[in-house]
Amino acid sequence: MEESEAVKTASSYVVRAAPGFFSNWHNADKRRYVITISGRAEIEVGRRPENFRRTRTNRQAEDLTGKGHTFRVVGTEDWVALFVDFAQ
């Protein structure tokens, strides 16, 4: 069994986006965990697209500066995720 260090969090909330939703280049407004509950999405950071696959796919959003990333919901179902914002 492994356990990470505890991370202080400020808030958590669920986000839902419909198939085909696209958000052009932007930065994360806060450092956070993004935990996919259902659906599929793709982010592009720099020139490398990365996929959020089905369920239990976790990412850490930290691109507060620089070019940022794009975000697109792919497939035929809504993408639903739990956002957990880190305490400042």
Side-chain angles (χ1 to χ4, degrees), residues 14-25:
V14 174
V15 173
R16 176 184 303 268
F21 176 85
F22 176 75
S23 181
N24 213 344
W25 291 102

Side-chain angles (χ1 to χ4, degrees), residues 14-71:
V14 174
V15 173
R16 176 184 303 268
F21 176 85
F22 176 75
S23 181
N24 213 344
W25 291 102
H26 63 284
N27 294 94
D29 59 336
K30 296 178 181 176
R31 291 184 62 227
R32 66 175 51 104
Y33 286 126
V34 179
I35 304 160
T36 297
I37 297 169
S38 63
R40 290 180 49 219
E42 179 179 274
I43 61 167
E44 182 177 344
V45 180
R47 295 268 179 217
R48 301 173 318 171
E50 298 180 24
N51 289 312
F52 285 103
R53 300 281 181 204
R54 288 274 171 209
T55 58
R56 296 183 211 99
T57 300
N58 308 325
R59 293 287 186 259
Q60 187 169 330
E62 296 188 292
D63 58 339
L64 304 177
T65 62
K67 187 173 182 177
H69 62 278
T70 65
F71 174 84

